[in-house]
Amino acid sequence: MAWLIIAVLGALLFVYGLSVHALWICLLSKPLPVLALLGWLRSTALDTYPRWIGIGLLFSLLGDVLLAWPADLFVFGLGAFLCAHLAYLKAYLSDCRRLAPLALLFSLVIGGVLLSILASHGLGPLLIPVTVYALAISAMLWRALARLNSPVDKPSARLAAVGALLFVFSDSLIGINRFVVPFDAAPYLIILSYWLGQWAIAASATKFSLTGRVASHA
């Protein structure tokens, strides 16, 4: 319950900071929800899956700070979240190696369409890092969806899939708002979908820890 209170307070403070354009309130409060998720995750068993989810949350925490910092650290924030997606990818691969071609096709289409939209509006020197990032998040989404129809624990698989989809949605909004067309609701939609996605991913690890691994490398 304490971690939930910290997460909610941090979220409310950040949204308030956004509404009044208070930069330092945003900077100080933005990491709190993910910090709370890390604290919550500490109560789970230190198996491979929860461990890699925790590493992903740590890199996400770094990315939160870099993107909120009062300087243009977008590339560094992108790098931190790239590492977060690779950590989540490693977690998803730890208990499911099935090809899941439909999930692969869906993820490639989503990543390809988004990258095409962004590139058509001119990414300039960011083309290569954004392309690498799009490949990483598409791979993360693929492996999260691949767990759905495997012997992996069902609640964990569903939560991870929902979390991955929300993360992709949040990152898509970031790209559209930054490179295509800015819109006023973007900061609120981005952060809320991001936090919900991170919660679902963290919850997939706590659910995994409670029920245990059902199958390995299915």
Side-chain angles (χ1 to χ4, degrees), residues 5-43:
I5 293 172
I6 292 171
V8 171
L9 286 177
L12 290 174
L13 274 173
F14 182 79
V15 171
Y16 170 75
L18 277 180
S19 66
V20 299
H21 306 289
L23 178 62
W24 287 103
I25 291 178
C26 291
L27 181 62
L28 293 173
S29 59
K30 188 179 183 183
L32 290 179
V34 175
L35 272 174
L37 290 177
L38 280 165
W40 181 38
L41 199 61
R42 284 184 59 196
S43 64

PDB file of all heavy atoms in Angstrom, residues 5-43:
ATOM      1  N   ILE A   5       0.738   4.474  -2.638  1.00  0.00           N
ATOM      2  CA  ILE A   5       0.567   5.879  -2.232  1.00  0.00           C
ATOM      3  C   ILE A   5       1.663   6.747  -2.851  1.00  0.00           C
ATOM      4  O   ILE A   5       1.401   7.839  -3.365  1.00  0.00           O
ATOM      5  CB  ILE A   5       0.576   5.995  -0.693  1.00  0.00           C
ATOM      6  CG1 ILE A   5      -0.672   5.317  -0.113  1.00  0.00           C
ATOM      7  CG2 ILE A   5       0.642   7.465  -0.266  1.00  0.00           C
ATOM      8  CD1 ILE A   5      -0.661   5.216   1.395  1.00  0.00           C
ATOM      9  N   ILE A   6       2.909   6.257  -2.811  1.00  0.00           N
ATOM     10  CA  ILE A   6       4.027   6.996  -3.397  1.00  0.00           C
ATOM     11  C   ILE A   6       3.805   7.193  -4.894  1.00  0.00           C
ATOM     12  O   ILE A   6       4.015   8.290  -5.437  1.00  0.00           O
ATOM     13  CB  ILE A   6       5.358   6.265  -3.143  1.00  0.00           C
ATOM     14  CG1 ILE A   6       5.700   6.309  -1.655  1.00  0.00           C
ATOM     15  CG2 ILE A   6       6.491   6.888  -3.959  1.00  0.00           C
ATOM     16  CD1 ILE A   6       6.882   5.439  -1.273  1.00  0.00           C
ATOM     17  N   ALA A   7       3.367   6.123  -5.561  1.00  0.00           N
ATOM     18  CA  ALA A   7       3.143   6.202  -7.006  1.00  0.00           C
ATOM     19  C   ALA A   7       2.049   7.214  -7.348  1.00  0.00           C
ATOM     20  O   ALA A   7       2.212   8.040  -8.255  1.00  0.00           O
ATOM     21  CB  ALA A   7       2.778   4.820  -7.548  1.00  0.00           C
ATOM     22  N   VAL A   8       0.945   7.160  -6.625  1.00  0.00           N
ATOM     23  CA  VAL A   8      -0.175   8.059  -6.901  1.00  0.00           C
ATOM     24  C   VAL A   8       0.209   9.508  -6.603  1.00  0.00           C
ATOM     25  O   VAL A   8      -0.099  10.416  -7.387  1.00  0.00           O
ATOM     26  CB  VAL A   8      -1.416   7.641  -6.085  1.00  0.00           C
ATOM     27  CG1 VAL A   8      -2.508   8.699  -6.192  1.00  0.00           C
ATOM     28  CG2 VAL A   8      -1.940   6.297  -6.574  1.00  0.00           C
ATOM     29  N   LEU A   9       0.879   9.743  -5.477  1.00  0.00           N
ATOM     30  CA  LEU A   9       1.309  11.101  -5.143  1.00  0.00           C
ATOM     31  C   LEU A   9       2.269  11.652  -6.187  1.00  0.00           C
ATOM     32  O   LEU A   9       2.169  12.817  -6.593  1.00  0.00           O
ATOM     33  CB  LEU A   9       1.959  11.119  -3.761  1.00  0.00           C
ATOM     34  CG  LEU A   9       1.015  10.986  -2.563  1.00  0.00           C
ATOM     35  CD1 LEU A   9       1.811  10.940  -1.260  1.00  0.00           C
ATOM     36  CD2 LEU A   9       0.025  12.149  -2.532  1.00  0.00           C
ATOM     37  N   GLY A  10       3.215  10.805  -6.617  1.00  0.00           N
ATOM     38  CA  GLY A  10       4.156  11.238  -7.642  1.00  0.00           C
ATOM     39  C   GLY A  10       3.449  11.573  -8.942  1.00  0.00           C
ATOM     40  O   GLY A  10       3.758  12.583  -9.592  1.00  0.00           O
ATOM     41  N   ALA A  11       2.484  10.742  -9.320  1.00  0.00           N
ATOM     42  CA  ALA A  11       1.737  10.981 -10.555  1.00  0.00           C
ATOM     43  C   ALA A  11       0.934  12.279 -10.475  1.00  0.00           C
ATOM     44  O   ALA A  11       0.918  13.076 -11.416  1.00  0.00           O
ATOM     45  CB  ALA A  11       0.822   9.799 -10.841  1.00  0.00           C
ATOM     46  N   LEU A  12       0.262  12.493  -9.345  1.00  0.00           N
ATOM     47  CA  LEU A  12      -0.539  13.708  -9.180  1.00  0.00           C
ATOM     48  C   LEU A  12       0.337  14.957  -9.202  1.00  0.00           C
ATOM     49  O   LEU A  12      -0.021  15.972  -9.813  1.00  0.00           O
ATOM     50  CB  LEU A  12      -1.328  13.636  -7.873  1.00  0.00           C
ATOM     51  CG  LEU A  12      -2.478  12.611  -7.837  1.00  0.00           C
ATOM     52  CD1 LEU A  12      -3.080  12.542  -6.444  1.00  0.00           C
ATOM     53  CD2 LEU A  12      -3.539  12.963  -8.867  1.00  0.00           C
ATOM     54  N   LEU A  13       1.493  14.879  -8.544  1.00  0.00           N
ATOM     55  CA  LEU A  13       2.415  16.014  -8.530  1.00  0.00           C
ATOM     56  C   LEU A  13       2.915  16.323  -9.933  1.00  0.00           C
ATOM     57  O   LEU A  13       3.009  17.495 -10.332  1.00  0.00           O
ATOM     58  CB  LEU A  13       3.600  15.729  -7.605  1.00  0.00           C
ATOM     59  CG  LEU A  13       3.418  16.047  -6.129  1.00  0.00           C
ATOM     60  CD1 LEU A  13       4.620  15.553  -5.326  1.00  0.00           C
ATOM     61  CD2 LEU A  13       3.222  17.546  -5.918  1.00  0.00           C
ATOM     62  N   PHE A  14       3.235  15.276 -10.678  1.00  0.00           N
ATOM     63  CA  PHE A  14       3.752  15.495 -12.029  1.00  0.00           C
ATOM     64  C   PHE A  14       2.688  16.116 -12.924  1.00  0.00           C
ATOM     65  O   PHE A  14       2.972  17.054 -13.677  1.00  0.00           O
ATOM     66  CB  PHE A  14       4.241  14.180 -12.626  1.00  0.00           C
ATOM     67  CG  PHE A  14       4.835  14.346 -14.001  1.00  0.00           C
ATOM     68  CD1 PHE A  14       6.125  14.821 -14.146  1.00  0.00           C
ATOM     69  CD2 PHE A  14       4.095  14.047 -15.134  1.00  0.00           C
ATOM     70  CE1 PHE A  14       6.682  14.993 -15.415  1.00  0.00           C
ATOM     71  CE2 PHE A  14       4.639  14.217 -16.401  1.00  0.00           C
ATOM     72  CZ  PHE A  14       5.937  14.687 -16.536  1.00  0.00           C
ATOM     73  N   VAL A  15       1.470  15.590 -12.853  1.00  0.00           N
ATOM     74  CA  VAL A  15       0.398  16.142 -13.677  1.00  0.00           C
ATOM     75  C   VAL A  15       0.132  17.601 -13.293  1.00  0.00           C
ATOM     76  O   VAL A  15      -0.102  18.459 -14.167  1.00  0.00           O
ATOM     77  CB  VAL A  15      -0.882  15.290 -13.539  1.00  0.00           C
ATOM     78  CG1 VAL A  15      -2.071  15.975 -14.204  1.00  0.00           C
ATOM     79  CG2 VAL A  15      -0.661  13.906 -14.154  1.00  0.00           C
ATOM     80  N   TYR A  16       0.180  17.884 -11.990  1.00  0.00           N
ATOM     81  CA  TYR A  16       0.026  19.282 -11.551  1.00  0.00           C
ATOM     82  C   TYR A  16       1.153  20.142 -12.116  1.00  0.00           C
ATOM     83  O   TYR A  16       0.919  21.252 -12.613  1.00  0.00           O
ATOM     84  CB  TYR A  16       0.019  19.350 -10.030  1.00  0.00           C
ATOM     85  CG  TYR A  16       0.112  20.757  -9.488  1.00  0.00           C
ATOM     86  CD1 TYR A  16      -0.978  21.613  -9.533  1.00  0.00           C
ATOM     87  CD2 TYR A  16       1.316  21.246  -8.964  1.00  0.00           C
ATOM     88  CE1 TYR A  16      -0.887  22.918  -9.069  1.00  0.00           C
ATOM     89  CE2 TYR A  16       1.421  22.544  -8.490  1.00  0.00           C
ATOM     90  CZ  TYR A  16       0.315  23.383  -8.541  1.00  0.00           C
ATOM     91  OH  TYR A  16       0.410  24.666  -8.085  1.00  0.00           O
ATOM     92  N   GLY A  17       2.384  19.632 -12.034  1.00  0.00           N
ATOM     93  CA  GLY A  17       3.524  20.377 -12.568  1.00  0.00           C
ATOM     94  C   GLY A  17       3.379  20.651 -14.054  1.00  0.00           C
ATOM     95  O   GLY A  17       3.714  21.745 -14.535  1.00  0.00           O
ATOM     96  N   LEU A  18       2.860  19.669 -14.800  1.00  0.00           N
ATOM     97  CA  LEU A  18       2.606  19.884 -16.227  1.00  0.00           C
ATOM     98  C   LEU A  18       1.589  20.991 -16.449  1.00  0.00           C
ATOM     99  O   LEU A  18       1.752  21.850 -17.321  1.00  0.00           O
ATOM    100  CB  LEU A  18       2.081  18.595 -16.863  1.00  0.00           C
ATOM    101  CG  LEU A  18       3.072  17.524 -17.304  1.00  0.00           C
ATOM    102  CD1 LEU A  18       2.325  16.336 -17.896  1.00  0.00           C
ATOM    103  CD2 LEU A  18       4.076  18.064 -18.321  1.00  0.00           C
ATOM    104  N   SER A  19       0.537  20.970 -15.652  1.00  0.00           N
ATOM    105  CA  SER A  19      -0.561  21.920 -15.859  1.00  0.00           C
ATOM    106  C   SER A  19      -0.154  23.356 -15.574  1.00  0.00           C
ATOM    107  O   SER A  19      -0.712  24.285 -16.169  1.00  0.00           O
ATOM    108  CB  SER A  19      -1.765  21.526 -15.003  1.00  0.00           C
ATOM    109  OG  SER A  19      -1.461  21.658 -13.622  1.00  0.00           O
ATOM    110  N   VAL A  20       0.790  23.551 -14.643  1.00  0.00           N
ATOM    111  CA  VAL A  20       1.219  24.907 -14.285  1.00  0.00           C
ATOM    112  C   VAL A  20       2.605  25.231 -14.839  1.00  0.00           C
ATOM    113  O   VAL A  20       3.182  26.275 -14.526  1.00  0.00           O
ATOM    114  CB  VAL A  20       1.200  25.108 -12.754  1.00  0.00           C
ATOM    115  CG1 VAL A  20      -0.204  24.929 -12.210  1.00  0.00           C
ATOM    116  CG2 VAL A  20       2.186  24.177 -12.059  1.00  0.00           C
ATOM    117  N   HIS A  21       3.135  24.305 -15.655  1.00  0.00           N
ATOM    118  CA  HIS A  21       4.451  24.476 -16.274  1.00  0.00           C
ATOM    119  C   HIS A  21       5.559  24.674 -15.231  1.00  0.00           C
ATOM    120  O   HIS A  21       6.451  25.511 -15.402  1.00  0.00           O
ATOM    121  CB  HIS A  21       4.433  25.659 -17.253  1.00  0.00           C
ATOM    122  CG  HIS A  21       3.350  25.561 -18.290  1.00  0.00           C
ATOM    123  ND1 HIS A  21       3.378  24.655 -19.327  1.00  0.00           N
ATOM    124  CD2 HIS A  21       2.172  26.242 -18.419  1.00  0.00           C
ATOM    125  CE1 HIS A  21       2.293  24.781 -20.068  1.00  0.00           C
ATOM    126  NE2 HIS A  21       1.538  25.728 -19.547  1.00  0.00           N
ATOM    127  N   ALA A  22       5.468  23.909 -14.157  1.00  0.00           N
ATOM    128  CA  ALA A  22       6.476  23.969 -13.098  1.00  0.00           C
ATOM    129  C   ALA A  22       7.529  22.891 -13.363  1.00  0.00           C
ATOM    130  O   ALA A  22       7.344  21.713 -13.013  1.00  0.00           O
ATOM    131  CB  ALA A  22       5.831  23.779 -11.732  1.00  0.00           C
ATOM    132  N   LEU A  23       8.628  23.278 -13.996  1.00  0.00           N
ATOM    133  CA  LEU A  23       9.641  22.334 -14.464  1.00  0.00           C
ATOM    134  C   LEU A  23      10.222  21.488 -13.339  1.00  0.00           C
ATOM    135  O   LEU A  23      10.369  20.268 -13.462  1.00  0.00           O
ATOM    136  CB  LEU A  23      10.759  23.100 -15.180  1.00  0.00           C
ATOM    137  CG  LEU A  23      11.936  22.261 -15.687  1.00  0.00           C
ATOM    138  CD1 LEU A  23      11.475  21.247 -16.718  1.00  0.00           C
ATOM    139  CD2 LEU A  23      13.021  23.162 -16.257  1.00  0.00           C
ATOM    140  N   TRP A  24      10.539  22.134 -12.216  1.00  0.00           N
ATOM    141  CA  TRP A  24      11.231  21.398 -11.154  1.00  0.00           C
ATOM    142  C   TRP A  24      10.287  20.452 -10.413  1.00  0.00           C
ATOM    143  O   TRP A  24      10.712  19.407  -9.912  1.00  0.00           O
ATOM    144  CB  TRP A  24      11.905  22.375 -10.191  1.00  0.00           C
ATOM    145  CG  TRP A  24      13.108  22.994 -10.845  1.00  0.00           C
ATOM    146  CD1 TRP A  24      13.203  24.244 -11.373  1.00  0.00           C
ATOM    147  CD2 TRP A  24      14.350  22.346 -11.105  1.00  0.00           C
ATOM    148  NE1 TRP A  24      14.437  24.438 -11.938  1.00  0.00           N
ATOM    149  CE2 TRP A  24      15.170  23.279 -11.780  1.00  0.00           C
ATOM    150  CE3 TRP A  24      14.864  21.089 -10.836  1.00  0.00           C
ATOM    151  CZ2 TRP A  24      16.464  22.985 -12.189  1.00  0.00           C
ATOM    152  CZ3 TRP A  24      16.162  20.794 -11.240  1.00  0.00           C
ATOM    153  CH2 TRP A  24      16.944  21.728 -11.900  1.00  0.00           C
ATOM    154  N   ILE A  25       9.014  20.782 -10.343  1.00  0.00           N
ATOM    155  CA  ILE A  25       8.045  19.839  -9.777  1.00  0.00           C
ATOM    156  C   ILE A  25       7.976  18.594 -10.666  1.00  0.00           C
ATOM    157  O   ILE A  25       7.971  17.458 -10.177  1.00  0.00           O
ATOM    158  CB  ILE A  25       6.650  20.486  -9.645  1.00  0.00           C
ATOM    159  CG1 ILE A  25       6.676  21.574  -8.565  1.00  0.00           C
ATOM    160  CG2 ILE A  25       5.597  19.434  -9.308  1.00  0.00           C
ATOM    161  CD1 ILE A  25       5.348  22.289  -8.399  1.00  0.00           C
ATOM    162  N   CYS A  26       7.967  18.815 -11.967  1.00  0.00           N
ATOM    163  CA  CYS A  26       7.942  17.688 -12.901  1.00  0.00           C
ATOM    164  C   CYS A  26       9.206  16.839 -12.775  1.00  0.00           C
ATOM    165  O   CYS A  26       9.140  15.603 -12.749  1.00  0.00           O
ATOM    166  CB  CYS A  26       7.804  18.190 -14.332  1.00  0.00           C
ATOM    167  SG  CYS A  26       6.197  18.934 -14.714  1.00  0.00           S
ATOM    168  N   LEU A  27      10.344  17.505 -12.685  1.00  0.00           N
ATOM    169  CA  LEU A  27      11.614  16.790 -12.604  1.00  0.00           C
ATOM    170  C   LEU A  27      11.700  15.941 -11.344  1.00  0.00           C
ATOM    171  O   LEU A  27      12.179  14.795 -11.381  1.00  0.00           O
ATOM    172  CB  LEU A  27      12.773  17.790 -12.645  1.00  0.00           C
ATOM    173  CG  LEU A  27      14.183  17.200 -12.598  1.00  0.00           C
ATOM    174  CD1 LEU A  27      14.433  16.304 -13.802  1.00  0.00           C
ATOM    175  CD2 LEU A  27      15.230  18.310 -12.531  1.00  0.00           C
ATOM    176  N   LEU A  28      11.228  16.482 -10.225  1.00  0.00           N
ATOM    177  CA  LEU A  28      11.332  15.766  -8.951  1.00  0.00           C
ATOM    178  C   LEU A  28      10.269  14.670  -8.805  1.00  0.00           C
ATOM    179  O   LEU A  28      10.507  13.656  -8.137  1.00  0.00           O
ATOM    180  CB  LEU A  28      11.210  16.759  -7.792  1.00  0.00           C
ATOM    181  CG  LEU A  28      12.373  17.758  -7.642  1.00  0.00           C
ATOM    182  CD1 LEU A  28      12.048  18.796  -6.575  1.00  0.00           C
ATOM    183  CD2 LEU A  28      13.669  17.030  -7.309  1.00  0.00           C
ATOM    184  N   SER A  29       9.110  14.873  -9.420  1.00  0.00           N
ATOM    185  CA  SER A  29       8.016  13.922  -9.211  1.00  0.00           C
ATOM    186  C   SER A  29       7.934  12.834 -10.270  1.00  0.00           C
ATOM    187  O   SER A  29       7.408  11.747 -10.002  1.00  0.00           O
ATOM    188  CB  SER A  29       6.677  14.667  -9.163  1.00  0.00           C
ATOM    189  OG  SER A  29       6.448  15.381 -10.381  1.00  0.00           O
ATOM    190  N   LYS A  30       8.462  13.081 -11.462  1.00  0.00           N
ATOM    191  CA  LYS A  30       8.315  12.118 -12.552  1.00  0.00           C
ATOM    192  C   LYS A  30       8.876  10.730 -12.216  1.00  0.00           C
ATOM    193  O   LYS A  30       8.274   9.714 -12.565  1.00  0.00           O
ATOM    194  CB  LYS A  30       8.959  12.654 -13.825  1.00  0.00           C
ATOM    195  CG  LYS A  30       8.669  11.776 -15.047  1.00  0.00           C
ATOM    196  CD  LYS A  30       9.293  12.344 -16.306  1.00  0.00           C
ATOM    197  CE  LYS A  30       8.933  11.493 -17.528  1.00  0.00           C
ATOM    198  NZ  LYS A  30       9.600  11.993 -18.751  1.00  0.00           N
ATOM    199  N   PRO A  31      10.037  10.636 -11.550  1.00  0.00           N
ATOM    200  CA  PRO A  31      10.581   9.292 -11.268  1.00  0.00           C
ATOM    201  C   PRO A  31       9.826   8.515 -10.188  1.00  0.00           C
ATOM    202  O   PRO A  31      10.032   7.301 -10.063  1.00  0.00           O
ATOM    203  CB  PRO A  31      12.024   9.585 -10.796  1.00  0.00           C
ATOM    204  CG  PRO A  31      12.308  10.994 -11.189  1.00  0.00           C
ATOM    205  CD  PRO A  31      10.985  11.688 -11.166  1.00  0.00           C
ATOM    206  N   LEU A  32       8.980   9.167  -9.396  1.00  0.00           N
ATOM    207  CA  LEU A  32       8.393   8.511  -8.233  1.00  0.00           C
ATOM    208  C   LEU A  32       7.536   7.288  -8.574  1.00  0.00           C
ATOM    209  O   LEU A  32       7.639   6.258  -7.888  1.00  0.00           O
ATOM    210  CB  LEU A  32       7.578   9.525  -7.417  1.00  0.00           C
ATOM    211  CG  LEU A  32       8.396  10.587  -6.675  1.00  0.00           C
ATOM    212  CD1 LEU A  32       7.477  11.544  -5.924  1.00  0.00           C
ATOM    213  CD2 LEU A  32       9.384   9.939  -5.714  1.00  0.00           C
ATOM    214  N   PRO A  33       6.667   7.327  -9.591  1.00  0.00           N
ATOM    215  CA  PRO A  33       5.880   6.122  -9.884  1.00  0.00           C
ATOM    216  C   PRO A  33       6.733   4.904 -10.231  1.00  0.00           C
ATOM    217  O   PRO A  33       6.458   3.790  -9.772  1.00  0.00           O
ATOM    218  CB  PRO A  33       5.001   6.553 -11.062  1.00  0.00           C
ATOM    219  CG  PRO A  33       4.822   8.031 -10.868  1.00  0.00           C
ATOM    220  CD  PRO A  33       6.163   8.491 -10.374  1.00  0.00           C
ATOM    221  N   VAL A  34       7.783   5.104 -11.030  1.00  0.00           N
ATOM    222  CA  VAL A  34       8.642   3.965 -11.387  1.00  0.00           C
ATOM    223  C   VAL A  34       9.472   3.521 -10.188  1.00  0.00           C
ATOM    224  O   VAL A  34       9.710   2.318  -9.991  1.00  0.00           O
ATOM    225  CB  VAL A  34       9.531   4.318 -12.599  1.00  0.00           C
ATOM    226  CG1 VAL A  34      10.525   3.191 -12.896  1.00  0.00           C
ATOM    227  CG2 VAL A  34       8.664   4.574 -13.831  1.00  0.00           C
ATOM    228  N   LEU A  35       9.900   4.477  -9.359  1.00  0.00           N
ATOM    229  CA  LEU A  35      10.586   4.112  -8.113  1.00  0.00           C
ATOM    230  C   LEU A  35       9.688   3.249  -7.237  1.00  0.00           C
ATOM    231  O   LEU A  35      10.136   2.272  -6.627  1.00  0.00           O
ATOM    232  CB  LEU A  35      10.999   5.372  -7.348  1.00  0.00           C
ATOM    233  CG  LEU A  35      12.357   5.988  -7.676  1.00  0.00           C
ATOM    234  CD1 LEU A  35      12.518   7.311  -6.935  1.00  0.00           C
ATOM    235  CD2 LEU A  35      13.499   5.034  -7.328  1.00  0.00           C
ATOM    236  N   ALA A  36       8.418   3.610  -7.179  1.00  0.00           N
ATOM    237  CA  ALA A  36       7.460   2.830  -6.392  1.00  0.00           C
ATOM    238  C   ALA A  36       7.300   1.425  -6.967  1.00  0.00           C
ATOM    239  O   ALA A  36       7.201   0.445  -6.219  1.00  0.00           O
ATOM    240  CB  ALA A  36       6.109   3.547  -6.343  1.00  0.00           C
ATOM    241  N   LEU A  37       7.287   1.305  -8.290  1.00  0.00           N
ATOM    242  CA  LEU A  37       7.201  -0.011  -8.909  1.00  0.00           C
ATOM    243  C   LEU A  37       8.421  -0.859  -8.574  1.00  0.00           C
ATOM    244  O   LEU A  37       8.314  -2.070  -8.332  1.00  0.00           O
ATOM    245  CB  LEU A  37       7.056   0.127 -10.430  1.00  0.00           C
ATOM    246  CG  LEU A  37       5.736   0.685 -10.946  1.00  0.00           C
ATOM    247  CD1 LEU A  37       5.775   0.826 -12.462  1.00  0.00           C
ATOM    248  CD2 LEU A  37       4.563  -0.195 -10.529  1.00  0.00           C
ATOM    249  N   LEU A  38       9.590  -0.236  -8.540  1.00  0.00           N
ATOM    250  CA  LEU A  38      10.807  -0.955  -8.156  1.00  0.00           C
ATOM    251  C   LEU A  38      10.716  -1.441  -6.714  1.00  0.00           C
ATOM    252  O   LEU A  38      11.118  -2.568  -6.397  1.00  0.00           O
ATOM    253  CB  LEU A  38      12.034  -0.056  -8.344  1.00  0.00           C
ATOM    254  CG  LEU A  38      12.564   0.050  -9.772  1.00  0.00           C
ATOM    255  CD1 LEU A  38      13.530   1.218  -9.902  1.00  0.00           C
ATOM    256  CD2 LEU A  38      13.263  -1.246 -10.176  1.00  0.00           C
ATOM    257  N   GLY A  39      10.192  -0.595  -5.839  1.00  0.00           N
ATOM    258  CA  GLY A  39      10.014  -1.001  -4.450  1.00  0.00           C
ATOM    259  C   GLY A  39       9.030  -2.145  -4.323  1.00  0.00           C
ATOM    260  O   GLY A  39       9.243  -3.085  -3.536  1.00  0.00           O
ATOM    261  N   TRP A  40       7.966  -2.068  -5.096  1.00  0.00           N
ATOM    262  CA  TRP A  40       6.958  -3.142  -5.097  1.00  0.00           C
ATOM    263  C   TRP A  40       7.570  -4.445  -5.599  1.00  0.00           C
ATOM    264  O   TRP A  40       7.326  -5.516  -5.048  1.00  0.00           O
ATOM    265  CB  TRP A  40       5.800  -2.706  -5.982  1.00  0.00           C
ATOM    266  CG  TRP A  40       4.661  -3.675  -6.094  1.00  0.00           C
ATOM    267  CD1 TRP A  40       4.140  -4.457  -5.115  1.00  0.00           C
ATOM    268  CD2 TRP A  40       3.890  -3.938  -7.271  1.00  0.00           C
ATOM    269  NE1 TRP A  40       3.082  -5.192  -5.598  1.00  0.00           N
ATOM    270  CE2 TRP A  40       2.910  -4.897  -6.916  1.00  0.00           C
ATOM    271  CE3 TRP A  40       3.924  -3.449  -8.578  1.00  0.00           C
ATOM    272  CZ2 TRP A  40       1.983  -5.380  -7.841  1.00  0.00           C
ATOM    273  CZ3 TRP A  40       2.994  -3.927  -9.484  1.00  0.00           C
ATOM    274  CH2 TRP A  40       2.037  -4.881  -9.112  1.00  0.00           C
ATOM    275  N   LEU A  41       8.404  -4.336  -6.626  1.00  0.00           N
ATOM    276  CA  LEU A  41       8.997  -5.518  -7.232  1.00  0.00           C
ATOM    277  C   LEU A  41       9.985  -6.213  -6.292  1.00  0.00           C
ATOM    278  O   LEU A  41      10.245  -7.406  -6.427  1.00  0.00           O
ATOM    279  CB  LEU A  41       9.704  -5.128  -8.537  1.00  0.00           C
ATOM    280  CG  LEU A  41       9.999  -6.245  -9.537  1.00  0.00           C
ATOM    281  CD1 LEU A  41       8.716  -6.910  -9.998  1.00  0.00           C
ATOM    282  CD2 LEU A  41      10.753  -5.679 -10.739  1.00  0.00           C
ATOM    283  N   ARG A  42      10.527  -5.481  -5.349  1.00  0.00           N
ATOM    284  CA  ARG A  42      11.485  -6.073  -4.410  1.00  0.00           C
ATOM    285  C   ARG A  42      10.870  -7.191  -3.575  1.00  0.00           C
ATOM    286  O   ARG A  42      11.587  -8.044  -3.044  1.00  0.00           O
ATOM    287  CB  ARG A  42      12.023  -4.994  -3.459  1.00  0.00           C
ATOM    288  CG  ARG A  42      13.045  -4.056  -4.072  1.00  0.00           C
ATOM    289  CD  ARG A  42      13.577  -3.104  -3.042  1.00  0.00           C
ATOM    290  NE  ARG A  42      14.211  -3.812  -1.937  1.00  0.00           N
ATOM    291  CZ  ARG A  42      14.487  -3.269  -0.759  1.00  0.00           C
ATOM    292  NH1 ARG A  42      14.148  -2.004  -0.523  1.00  0.00           N
ATOM    293  NH2 ARG A  42      15.078  -3.974   0.187  1.00  0.00           N
ATOM    294  N   SER A  43       9.551  -7.200  -3.458  1.00  0.00           N
ATOM    295  CA  SER A  43       8.882  -8.225  -2.654  1.00  0.00           C
ATOM    296  C   SER A  43       8.751  -9.550  -3.396  1.00  0.00           C
ATOM    297  O   SER A  43       8.316 -10.544  -2.816  1.00  0.00           O
ATOM    298  CB  SER A  43       7.479  -7.750  -2.245  1.00  0.00           C
ATOM    299  OG  SER A  43       6.658  -7.566  -3.392  1.00  0.00           O
TER     300      SER A  43
END
